[in-house]
Amino acid sequence: MDEVQQRAERQLQALEGVHARLNELAVTETSDDGRVTVDVDVTGAMTGLTLLPGAGNGQPAALADLIVRTAVRAATRVFTERADIMAAFVADFAELAGTDAPGVSMEPNGDSVRPTLQEPQSEERA
């Protein structure tokens, strides 16, 4: 029973660790000309915007395009980092759970509890 409790505690610590890393995840991206800086959170939502003089060269459409392109780059980076964190977590958690097949739930005796798919039986029609 102690082994089960210790394994559960290690799994809980792993969950808490990944939760903390994701909560702290944020990205700042700056446009190529250095005049637009966008901050995004773990969800890719913009949390900050800094505009320096000359951003967009006085053209609203150019400024809007520069902001959007920079925000997309920031969101892409944060999503990549989030995916890397989750991939590492899934691998670590599979090891903690004692399975080499991430995503497969296991009973204590080692049997998979993943539902099996059955082929639908075709009905013959007259």
Side-chain angles (χ1 to χ4, degrees):
M1 189 54 109
D2 289 337
E3 182 182 329
V4 171
Q5 182 179 356
Q6 289 172 352
R7 183 169 48 164
E9 287 174 1
R10 287 191 306 270
Q11 290 171 339
L12 180 60
Q13 289 172 349
L15 284 168
E16 289 171 343
V18 77
H19 180 72
R21 287 185 67 196
L22 290 174
N23 280 339
E24 294 170 356
L25 185 58
V27 167
T28 298
E29 185 71 36
T30 302
S31 63
D32 292 336
D33 68 2
R35 294 183 175 157
V36 173
T37 301
V38 173
D39 302 309
V40 298
D41 66 12
V42 68
T43 68
M46 187 184 303
T47 59
L49 175 64
T50 304
L51 303 175
L52 296 180
N57 297 320
Q59 300 173 354
L63 177 58
D65 183 61
L66 193 55
I67 292 169
V68 169
R69 282 188 287 126
T70 306
V72 167
R73 286 191 351 212
T76 301
R77 276 189 45 216
V78 84
F79 294 152
T80 299
E81 290 182 29
R82 185 174 73 184
D84 291 345
I85 290 170
M86 291 306 300
F89 167 72
V90 167
D92 291 345
F93 200 82
E95 185 177 314
L96 288 172
T99 177
D100 59 357
V104 176
S105 296
M106 301 296 284
E107 287 293 323
N109 65 3
D111 293 335
S112 171
V113 293
R114 177 179 279 172
T116 58
L117 299 177
Q118 296 180 354
E119 293 292 322
Q121 296 179 356
S122 62
E123 296 179 24
E124 292 186 27
R125 296 182 183 192

